[in-house]
Amino acid sequence: MLDSKDNQIRDGYNVGLAQESQLNDKHFVGLNGRGIFNTVDNRLNSFTDIFKVQPPELSEILSSQSFAGGTSTNYLVNGFHVSNCQ
């Protein structure tokens, strides 16, 4: 028999900024950006029953723990120019 329990903790932040400006009647420029920041903490506890074949009986219990954590960061920046030549 195998019994596992998994706990995940995730924290994330998403930040965005934008600036647009009109240079004159026909031209607009802008810049926008976004940052995404994540952290992950995973914990897995497992218990496995180990049986003897003859006679069938429980001989051992294997207990294990795994830990995995990490961070990720993403950035995005866009700039634009719009010309209204009508």
Side-chain angles (χ1 to χ4, degrees), residues 24-38:
N24 55 41
D25 290 343
K26 296 185 179 183
H27 295 277
F28 295 85
V29 294
L31 183 67
N32 59 45
R34 180 165 306 281
I36 303 169
F37 311 94
N38 295 300

Side-chain angles (χ1 to χ4, degrees), residues 3-76:
D3 181 24
S4 295
K5 292 187 176 139
D6 184 21
N7 295 324
Q8 286 190 356
I9 300 171
R10 295 176 182 251
D11 290 319
Y13 302 96
N14 190 337
V15 179
L17 297 170
Q19 173 66 45
E20 297 180 8
S21 298
Q22 182 174 357
L23 299 177
N24 55 41
D25 290 343
K26 296 185 179 183
H27 295 277
F28 295 85
V29 294
L31 183 67
N32 59 45
R34 180 165 306 281
I36 303 169
F37 311 94
N38 295 300
T39 59
V40 177
D41 181 20
N42 291 331
R43 298 170 187 262
L44 176 65
N45 296 313
S46 297
F47 301 93
T48 304
D49 296 337
I50 300 172
F51 287 87
K52 289 182 182 180
V53 177
Q54 283 296 357
E57 64 180 287
L58 179 64
S59 64
E60 297 176 63
I61 297 175
L62 174 63
S63 171
S64 66
Q65 294 181 325
S66 335
F67 302 99
T71 60
S72 66
T73 305
N74 300 297
Y75 299 103
L76 170 68

